[in-house]
Amino acid sequence: MATSSKKSSKPHSPKAPFNLLTPSNPTSSLETERGNGGEVHQQTADADVFLTTQQGIPVADDQNSLKTGDRGETLLEDFHFREKIFHFDHERIPERVVHARGYGAHGYFELTKSLSDVTRADIFQRVGEKTEAFVRFSTVAGSKGSFDLARDVRGFAVKLYTKQGNWDIVGNNIPVFFIQDAIKFPDVIHAVKPEPDRGFPQAQSAHDTFWDFISLTPESMHMIMWVMSDRAIPRSFRFMEGFGVHTFRFLNEKGKPTFVKFHWKPKLGLQSVMWNEAVKINGADPDFHRRDLWDAITMGNFPEWEFGVQLFDQKFADKFDFDVLDATKLIPEEILPVQIVGRLVLDRVVDNFFAETEQVAFCTQNIPPGVDFSNDPLLQGRNFSYLDTQLKRLGSPNFTHIPVNAPRCPFAHFQQDGHMAMHNPKGRANYEPNSWGDEGGPRETPSLGFRSFAEPIDGTKQRIRPESFADHYSQARMFYRSQTPPEQKHIADALVFELSKVEHPHIRERMVAHLLTLDESLGKTVGNGLGIRLPKPAAPAKKPIDVGTSNALSIVGRNLGTFEGRKLGIFATSGADVKTFKALVSAVEKSGGVCELVAPKISGIALSDGTEVAAKQKIDGGPSVLFDAVAILASEEGINLLLNDAPSQDFVRDAYAHCKFIAFNAEAKRLLEKCGVTDNDLDDGCIELSSTNAIANFVKACGNLRVWDREAKVDLDA
């Protein structure tokens, strides 16, 4: 849909009062109304108790920022939005309010296809040219000291040090978001953070305040499908996609606009862990993702992503079923393919975590000439918020003087002084225009400088959500139905788990009502899993439409069939056959994977010929959840030591329960039997290493990453 050509909606006026789903809180005296875009307005007639600004000014609309027309840009005069987001930005000292736990690395972007026809951005002009980059991955909800494998969105922020200034693509590993208007950002984050009266739970969404907010915010339904999917528990930063989330614009030399969405696609493919696995990884190694990235780069296995764009014009936007300014929607790749135009490689770890990863400051407003914003109201608000939060967090407007934030291209301006100023304008003039000629400092450059798209603006100044934002279920349904059966099961399991932690029944029922509208089978599965009487389906603000499915949305369906970049855990005892051990290690390394030895003692083992091999993990601290596949190699004497050892049994049981590929030699088979994995339980993912061919077949099979058919045997909910 167009940025400004759509017919404007009328300002919000109360429609018939509507009971948002069923049941509502019986103690509430609030009237609930639905806005133009399907957003929820809870209103009070109480003349004494109502929402105000910090200055005591009554608030008429807390759901929409002030815009020109229903789809226009956000106005700077919106004092309520500015006060709300300003206060939110300053809530934490000194860690980030969101994305506090992060990990970064250096690398480069290389252009592989010119985009000179659609953008004047210098970075897209010369094929083969490399641009320095810094990337920070992060979780959203948890504090700096939380664990890596929370069920959460992952930040995927890329700083490109271009020849025309820094460009920050501040994205996530999910292409949509919870909310449509930035004025709701403090609310969704407050809801997911530890509840303010008790200070817990940490880095978890499985609690009342989060699901209360979500169940009262239908626009979140698409994002909820992603967050409850395996996308929210990635195996590694290296196996995540990244998205720019919003619609941006490219502008070419003639000022012609082209809409664009940004994508990062991992070269090694997508991969996630299972929920039970994530819980145990957080106990075994809360720094699992950090360690994985550090190890990969320092070993020379540099992570790589393809950079792609979805390009479209106004005509496409007008015909598309959904509004391209709505951050809760995506454009399916089957409708608009992603064009690969570059690659991102991370090849250097930081020298100092604090100086670089902690002090790096990303701002969505940082874009070079040739790139421009759209009127996405979430993006418009982020442009204000990110600069403000960096000023607070880093203590000074001079945060650009910190090396990781400084441009790599020449820069010159008249900004001066302030805390920690590392450089000030030289000479007599610290202003322009001035009379000092060439010695008077820098001047503007119309030919090279940043130019905004000359967009005609015609609209009424108002707080309103466009009706084109009102479909909250169609794409959520598309995402769910695009998943393979195991992935659909995991979404339902996650919803049951999360909602089972909610104490108030009416919140659980209200959420199930949404799910029944989204997909009846999903709603029934979750309702039955919670053991509740099914409520009536939620009444949608706009009737959902059938938009089919998209193969690009599945992780399992896009498996690349490779073990490259993955890790095999070899649990072995002294006396294990040397030929089998060396052949297995050689085959894994040839496939591009790595091996780690897990042993009864950290000093390692002596193989059958006396060769000593140092262990990476002791069995008590090296559970199978740390690996993508496992092999168990034991001697006759060694296996007798393991049969009654609980950590050794856990190693096998977890690997089997998590549907991993398991290799074993004849002696180790006794440990499998001890763990309840008998001949009847051995499936195609359990391979005895009886020959060289068996080793090759095992490593090849490991490229499938999981034996999903096994899940039905080991999971009560299957």
Side-chain angles (χ1 to χ4, degrees), residues 413-416 425-437 439-444:
H413 51 73
F414 291 109
Q415 297 170 17
Q416 66 175 35
K426 295 180 179 179
R428 189 173 185 179
N430 57 0
Y431 59 91
E432 67 87 21
N434 61 57
S435 301
W436 313 116
E439 296 180 358
R443 304 297 199 280
E444 59 193 41

Side-chain angles (χ1 to χ4, degrees), residues 499 508-516 523 526-527 530 532 534-535:
L499 293 172
R508 294 197 294 264
E509 293 173 19
R510 194 162 58 208
M511 192 63 215
V512 170
H514 280 297
L515 299 176
L516 288 168
V526 174
L530 294 170
I532 65 173
L534 294 180

Side-chain angles (χ1 to χ4, degrees), residues 9 38 149-150 267 284 290 299 368 461 506 522 603 619 641 662:
S9 305
L149 258 167
K267 185 179 179 181
R290 293 182 171 202
M299 291 172 64
K461 183 168 64 176
H506 71 274
L522 174 62
S603 56
I619 183 59
L641 298 174
I662 303 172

Side-chain angles (χ1 to χ4, degrees), residues 445-490:
T445 170
S447 61
L448 297 177
F450 182 90
R451 295 194 299 267
S452 297
F453 173 55
E455 179 182 10
I457 299 298
D458 180 21
T460 305
K461 183 168 64 176
Q462 57 192 351
R463 295 184 187 274
I464 192 169
R465 196 80 56 94
E467 292 182 8
S468 55
F469 280 31
D471 185 344
H472 305 315
Y473 298 98
S474 296
Q475 286 208 350
R477 179 183 296 169
M478 174 187 68
F479 178 82
Y480 176 72
R481 293 181 180 176
S482 297
Q483 307 304 301
T484 62
E487 292 170 305
Q488 290 184 347
K489 176 194 177 302
H490 298 163

Side-chain angles (χ1 to χ4, degrees), residues 481-678:
R481 293 181 180 176
S482 297
Q483 307 304 301
T484 62
E487 292 170 305
Q488 290 184 347
K489 176 194 177 302
H490 298 163
I491 291 173
D493 287 351
L495 285 161
V496 171
F497 170 82
E498 296 263 327
L499 293 172
S500 71
K501 299 293 184 179
V502 172
E503 298 172 359
H504 290 77
H506 71 274
I507 298 175
R508 294 197 294 264
E509 293 173 19
R510 194 162 58 208
M511 192 63 215
V512 170
H514 280 297
L515 299 176
L516 288 168
T517 299
L518 193 159
D519 182 272
E520 184 178 7
S521 64
L522 174 62
K524 288 181 176 179
T525 299
V526 174
N528 291 335
L530 294 170
I532 65 173
R533 176 185 290 182
L534 294 180
K536 292 181 180 180
K542 185 176 182 179
K543 184 179 179 180
I545 60 176
D546 183 10
V547 291
T549 59
S550 170
N551 292 334
L553 302 181
S554 169
I555 295 175
V556 174
R558 296 167 61 196
N559 182 276
L560 299 181
T562 177
F563 200 65
E564 183 180 358
R566 275 73 178 184
K567 185 183 295 184
L568 176 71
I570 303 177
F571 180 26
T573 70
S574 288
D577 182 65
V578 62
K579 291 183 179 179
T580 302
F581 183 90
K582 289 185 176 180
L584 180 58
V585 171
S586 176
V588 170
E589 291 179 347
K590 188 176 180 180
S591 74
V594 296
C595 297
E596 281 191 2
L597 176 63
V598 182
K601 294 183 179 180
I602 193 62
S603 56
I605 61 172
L607 297 172
S608 59
D609 69 343
T611 301
E612 294 186 351
V613 184
K616 181 72 173 181
Q617 305 278 358
K618 185 180 185 299
I619 183 59
D620 305 64
S624 59
V625 295
L626 301 180
F627 308 104
D628 300 291
V630 300
I632 306 159
L633 305 178
S635 63
E636 188 64 39
E637 181 181 356
I639 199 66
N640 291 326
L641 298 174
L642 306 183
L643 291 178
N644 295 314
D645 180 58
S648 300
Q649 294 179 21
D650 288 343
F651 188 94
V652 174
R653 289 195 180 102
D654 280 344
Y656 189 80
H658 298 148
C659 304
K660 294 182 178 179
F661 285 87
I662 303 172
F664 55 93
N665 64 358
E667 292 79 4
K669 189 174 181 181
R670 291 173 57 197
L671 180 59
L672 271 68
E673 293 171 346
K674 178 76 173 182
C675 296
V677 183
T678 65

Side-chain angles (χ1 to χ4, degrees), residues 40-239:
V40 173
H41 293 260
Q42 289 182 335
Q43 300 172 340
T44 179
D46 192 323
D48 298 315
V49 181
F50 45 80
L51 186 66
T52 75
T53 69
Q54 287 180 285
Q55 303 295 331
I57 300 168
V59 173
D61 186 340
D62 191 41
Q63 312 306 314
N64 299 294
S65 51
L66 187 64
K67 297 180 281 291
T68 54
D70 55 355
R71 302 178 69 252
E73 54 277 282
T74 302
L75 298 177
L76 189 61
E77 72 177 73
D78 186 351
F79 62 86
H80 172 47
F81 165 70
R82 285 189 289 110
E83 179 194 87
K84 184 176 180 180
I85 201 76
F86 181 83
H87 192 281
F88 172 71
D89 292 339
H90 293 239
E91 285 179 2
R92 299 292 184 276
I93 303 172
E95 75 174 31
R96 290 166 169 86
V97 179
V98 288
H99 297 275
R101 183 170 180 82
Y103 210 61
H106 297 272
Y108 62 87
F109 171 83
E110 181 180 4
L111 187 68
T112 58
K113 179 183 177 182
S114 173
L115 290 175
S116 58
D117 57 328
V118 294
T119 177
R120 60 188 283 248
D122 183 79
I123 192 174
F124 292 125
Q125 304 304 308
R126 296 167 294 279
V127 171
E129 185 168 282
K130 295 181 179 179
T131 300
E132 184 181 347
F134 186 85
V135 179
R136 186 179 186 271
F137 305 103
S138 56
T139 53
V140 173
S143 67
K144 188 166 63 173
S146 59
F147 39 82
D148 275 352
L149 258 167
R151 177 177 292 282
D152 201 353
V153 191
R154 295 306 187 282
F156 195 124
V158 181
K159 185 180 290 290
L160 298 167
Y161 302 94
T162 84
K163 292 181 178 180
Q164 291 186 322
N166 291 353
W167 180 18
D168 293 349
I169 305 178
V170 194
N172 290 327
N173 73 325
I174 292 174
V176 294
F177 201 61
F178 293 100
I179 53 174
Q180 296 170 324
D181 193 306
I183 200 170
K184 300 308 297 174
F185 196 71
D187 296 298
V188 66
I189 298 303
H190 284 169
V192 76
K193 286 283 190 177
E195 298 187 11
D197 57 347
R198 59 206 67 188
F200 63 84
Q202 172 63 242
Q204 299 177 64
S205 55
H207 57 104
D208 284 62
T209 57
F210 177 73
W211 287 103
D212 182 43
F213 176 82
I214 293 300
S215 64
L216 290 167
T217 310
E219 68 203 64
S220 297
M221 290 306 116
H222 190 191
M223 182 66 168
I224 283 298
M225 288 297 99
W226 285 80
V227 175
M228 293 298 107
S229 79
D230 294 342
R231 296 272 185 158
I233 42 176
R235 154 67 176 84
S236 164
F237 297 139
R238 300 178 293 126
F239 306 141

